[in-house]
Every structure is written in structure tokens, then in C-alpha cells.
Amino acid sequence: MTDTPRVYPGEEGDPLTTEDRTRDSFADFVRAETAGLTRLAYLLTGDRHHAEDLVQVALARVAVRWERVADPHAYLRRVLCTQAASWWRWRRARPPERLDGVVPERPDPGDDAEVRLVLWTALARLTARQRAVLVLRYYEDRTETETAALLGCRVGTVKSQTRHALRRLRVLAPELAELVGRSPQEVTSR
């Protein structure tokens, strides 16, 4: 036996193959984008564990098509939105779970947890499409055109869904106006 040192891919003497470069570029993309995608998925689902599962499904889908996908960010966001809508449809068919027992104590008023809870409860009252439009427009700060492309609809649909969602939030969750320092009458008079 000879004691020749093993040469690993990418080291001198063994150039990276196309497959290695593809795998490395996808791995770099995953490391860079996972946190942001998980935040988006959480806003769409309201459940941390489901958000992580949703991101995994989306990344698995883009991994298969990595070399052919022109814009992986747009593709991933589209997969997240459609999979979240499918999950909400499935969840709507299940009877709601009820909590029994002692009501948990309220957090300190200075804590952002109350604001997050009120906001999430309000978003949960919207349809999946309205929630997706608001999250993409206001959380991700997307333009109407970008939102329409991600959701696979027309710009007019994004505008009308945004208008309907905001109107519905004003009616169903007037406490949101109080959280931003406005009276509910100011907000509903729009």
C-alpha cells in the first residue's frame, strides 16, 4: 500500500465538479435565506413548528429545481404562500381545539407580546389570501406588482384584497387602532 494523501473536492489537484458547485451554491443560499423565510412562514401560519416545516417543504421543492429556477426567492415565496393556504384550508376543516383550565397570567403592559398576540389574532380572522397579501405588502414591504407575481394574480386583485383585508381588520379588530395610538373612530372613518 502506498501512503498517498487523499485529495478532497475543491482542493488543489481536483477541481470542483458542476454538481459540487451546484450543491455548494444551494447550501449557501439556504444558510443565507432560512431565517427570513422562517419569519415569513411564521407570519403566514402563526405556528413556529408549522413554519419550520413549511420552509423545509419549500426548500426541498427548490432543491430539486435549483439549476432551472431563475429567481429562487420568488419561487420560494410562492411555494410558502400556496402551501400555507393549503394548510389553512385543511385546518379549517378540523374542529377548533379548546383550552380548558386556568387562564394564563397577562404579561407586563410594556411587553411586545400583547401587541404580537393582538396582531396575530387579527390576522387569523382574515382569509388566507388576504393574510398573504398583507404579509407580503406590509411585512415584506413588497410592491403591488411583486405581490401579484408572488401570488400569481393580477395587480388589481392585490389592491382589492388589501383594501378588503384592511377594512375587515378595522371592523373585526378595532383594538389594533388603539395599539398604534389612534382612536377606532379615526380608523373606521377612512
Side-chain angles (χ1 to χ4, degrees):
M1 296 180 129
T2 57
D3 289 332
T4 57
R6 182 174 164 102
V7 179
Y8 293 96
E11 289 184 349
E12 201 171 309
D14 187 20
L16 285 175
T17 65
T18 304
E19 184 179 317
D20 292 334
R21 275 190 227 101
T22 301
R23 189 177 313 117
D24 289 348
S25 70
F26 180 71
D28 291 342
F29 178 81
V30 169
R31 276 190 289 278
E33 298 299 322
T34 299
L37 292 170
T38 304
R39 283 190 300 271
L40 172 62
Y42 176 77
L43 288 172
L44 293 171
T45 63
D47 179 77
R48 189 187 84 186
H49 302 292
H50 182 66
E52 291 169 353
D53 292 342
L54 196 60
V55 169
Q56 291 301 314
V57 168
L59 289 172
R61 288 190 178 193
V62 80
V64 173
R65 297 167 181 82
W66 183 248
E67 293 177 343
R68 295 174 292 181
V69 174
D71 186 358
H73 292 93
Y75 183 78
L76 278 167
R77 282 174 173 74
R78 174 73 186 257
V79 170
L80 286 174
C81 290
T82 56
Q83 290 297 311
S86 295
W87 182 74
W88 278 105
R89 275 188 230 109
W90 172 82
R91 187 172 178 197
R92 192 178 324 142
R94 287 181 51 199
E97 296 177 12
R98 303 273 184 218
L99 294 177
D100 296 325
V102 180
V103 177
E105 292 183 25
R106 293 179 63 105
D108 294 333
D111 193 8
D112 283 343
E114 183 179 357
V115 174
R116 286 193 308 270
L117 183 62
V118 169
L119 183 58
W120 174 246
T121 303
L123 285 174
R125 294 177 183 175
L126 300 175
T127 65
R129 190 169 196 82
Q130 288 174 340
R131 186 173 34 261
V133 167
L134 289 184
V135 167
L136 290 172
R137 290 281 291 127
Y138 298 108
Y139 177 75
E140 287 233 330
D141 200 26
R142 301 277 177 176
T143 66
E144 291 166 341
T145 306
E146 290 172 332
T147 302
L150 287 169
L151 294 176
C153 62
R154 295 181 182 197
V155 174
T157 303
V158 170
K159 290 178 182 181
S160 68
Q161 288 293 315
T162 302
R163 185 181 73 243
H164 293 304
L166 292 174
R167 183 184 308 140
R168 191 164 178 204
L169 283 177
R170 287 183 194 112
V171 171
L172 294 175
E175 63 272 15
L176 287 176
E178 295 167 7
L179 290 174
V180 294
R182 291 183 167 173
S183 71
Q185 292 77 22
E186 283 181 87
V187 176
T188 55
S189 64
R190 291 178 133 197

